[in-house]
Amino acid sequence: MSDTIFVVGSKYENRKGLFIIKEISGDRMLIEWDTGEKRYTSVKLQTTIIKNMEMEWNILSTNNNKKKSLHVPASYGTEFSGLKAEDFKTNVGGTHWRSREQLGGAVAKAIVSEKALMNSWATYREPRIQWADKRNYKADKAWEQAKFWASIDASELTFGFYIERQPKLEDVRDHWNNWISWIKDKDEWLLKVAIEKGLEFFSPNGSPNVFKGRLIPLKQGWSSCLDKSKKKISAHAFFSNLPETEWIGVILGKRLEKDTVISRAASVANDIADVFNKIMPMYEACISKTR
């Protein structure tokens, strides 16, 4: 971006994440993050920050063939010391834990992939973060894409791999189709990883989902907590046989209680990244044919 033109009411991205411009007067503008935090800053400063960010990512992308693991800018996660009791709520007012300077960036820094250049995005007005390949991810069409995901409510932290399938047959389903194809021959691997890391398949809270309940990993296969007839089944058989014209949201992840998360302090970022790294082959398979 050689020249950055700022427009009132539009969204832009700096090191802290997405922000909206509330007003501009000369070289001075008021920006607001979705946490409600506002700050007066200069147009020149934000232009420089955005240009520097793009240069950093271009360097990382250029070094792709020279390194096995792709990293994020050094500034990521530098302000994260752990989640606090006041962060556990269903809104984002007064919180900063989702930013790239905090948990979002701390996790991104700890993710290792030979194929993906991972970045974080805070979900607008929701206590959630998404992590995805910067070169592949489109924040304005997040529902079409596989991603890593974390969410907080009043009592716990939930995180894992998240993928959706839209209800119309003509909707974009590239990542979903890649995922269904990949898990067909990977059920033994999925079961082993899920048991090792304490993961389950479950649906996002409060969503009109054709996938209900949970799939629990057992050595013999997956077991539905709601349908006793569905025991010792494969993940592929379960998900590929759900109705084709209904919305599906699927998480392979885990939940940690509030007190456990708080006690882990900054180490919780590594706890999250450890799970992401373990199931990274599944994410890489989803994005492999859509770049």
Side-chain angles (χ1 to χ4, degrees):
M1 184 184 298
S2 57
D3 294 300
T4 303
I5 300 176
F6 294 110
V7 178
V8 173
S10 296
K11 291 181 181 179
Y12 300 87
E13 189 173 3
N14 62 13
R15 297 190 187 282
K16 202 164 188 175
L18 292 172
F19 64 88
I20 189 169
I21 297 179
K22 307 297 289 186
E23 61 182 62
I24 299 177
S25 178
D27 187 51
R28 189 171 174 80
M29 64 182 178
L30 176 63
I31 63 178
E32 179 182 2
W33 287 272
D34 67 338
T35 58
E37 178 186 356
K38 296 181 180 180
R39 180 181 300 173
Y40 279 99
T41 182
S42 76
V43 172
K44 182 178 180 180
L45 174 61
Q46 293 304 318
T47 301
T48 300
I49 289 173
I50 291 172
K51 286 181 179 179
N52 287 342
M53 284 173 59
E54 291 185 345
M55 288 176 61
E56 290 171 350
W57 283 108
N58 287 337
I59 291 171
L60 290 170
S61 184
T62 300
N63 289 339
N64 183 9
N65 296 325
K66 300 178 182 179
K67 299 181 181 180
K68 287 189 175 181
S69 60
L70 305 175
H71 299 286
V72 299
S75 61
Y76 274 38
T78 52
E79 296 183 11
F80 184 65
S81 59
L83 289 164
K84 310 296 188 293
E86 55 268 27
D87 293 324
F88 286 81
K89 52 187 179 180
T90 57
N91 61 71
V92 298
T95 66
H96 307 287
W97 61 271
R98 302 174 307 142
S99 75
R100 291 167 181 165
E101 298 164 333
Q102 298 217 24
L103 182 61
V107 172
K109 186 177 285 185
I111 294 176
V112 178
S113 172
E114 296 184 0
K115 299 179 180 180
L117 188 61
M118 301 299 291
N119 202 3
S120 71
W121 288 265
T123 305
Y124 188 70
R125 297 290 185 185
E126 293 182 336
R128 297 176 181 175
I129 310 174
Q130 299 176 358
W131 292 267
D133 180 8
K134 179 178 175 65
R135 298 162 299 181
N136 181 71
Y137 187 70
K138 298 178 179 64
D140 60 340
K141 294 184 178 180
W143 56 88
E144 296 177 354
Q145 301 158 81
K147 60 189 76 72
F148 294 107
W149 179 90
S151 178
I152 278 181
D153 61 21
S155 61
E156 62 187 11
L157 165 70
T158 303
F159 60 93
F161 168 88
Y162 180 33
I163 191 165
E164 303 175 45
R165 189 199 68 194
Q166 301 310 306
K168 297 180 181 179
L169 294 176
E170 62 269 25
D171 287 330
V172 175
R173 293 183 173 184
D174 292 347
H175 284 200
W176 176 269
N177 292 337
N178 287 350
W179 181 67
I180 285 292
S181 296
W182 188 83
I183 65 172
K184 185 175 183 179
D185 300 317
K186 299 293 183 179
D187 205 62
E188 184 177 346
W189 182 88
L190 277 175
L191 281 168
K192 181 179 179 181
V193 169
I195 292 171
E196 176 188 343
K197 296 298 180 182
L199 310 179
E200 297 177 341
F201 281 112
F202 53 90
S203 61
N205 292 334
S207 59
N209 201 337
V210 68
F211 169 41
K212 309 294 184 183
R214 296 173 294 138
L215 278 189
I216 303 166
L218 305 173
K219 288 184 179 180
Q220 303 86 350
W222 299 89
S223 175
S224 170
C225 70
L226 296 180
D227 188 346
K228 300 302 181 183
S229 68
K230 293 181 178 178
K231 291 185 177 180
K232 302 178 182 179
I233 59 175
S234 73
H236 177 267
F238 181 87
F239 290 111
S240 62
N241 286 312
L242 291 174
E244 273 286 308
T245 56
E246 294 188 50
W247 182 83
I248 301 176
V250 178
I251 298 170
L252 177 63
K254 65 191 301 181
R255 296 179 171 92
L256 295 179
E257 293 183 354
K258 172 182 174 180
D259 290 344
T260 299
V261 175
I262 293 172
S263 69
R264 291 294 292 156
S267 296
V268 75
N270 290 327
D271 297 338
I272 295 171
D274 177 61
V275 170
F276 293 175
N277 287 334
K278 194 70 178 182
I279 57 180
M280 178 60 72
M282 185 164 64
Y283 173 74
E284 292 176 342
C286 291
I287 68 171
S288 62
K289 298 178 183 179
T290 55
R291 287 197 188 141

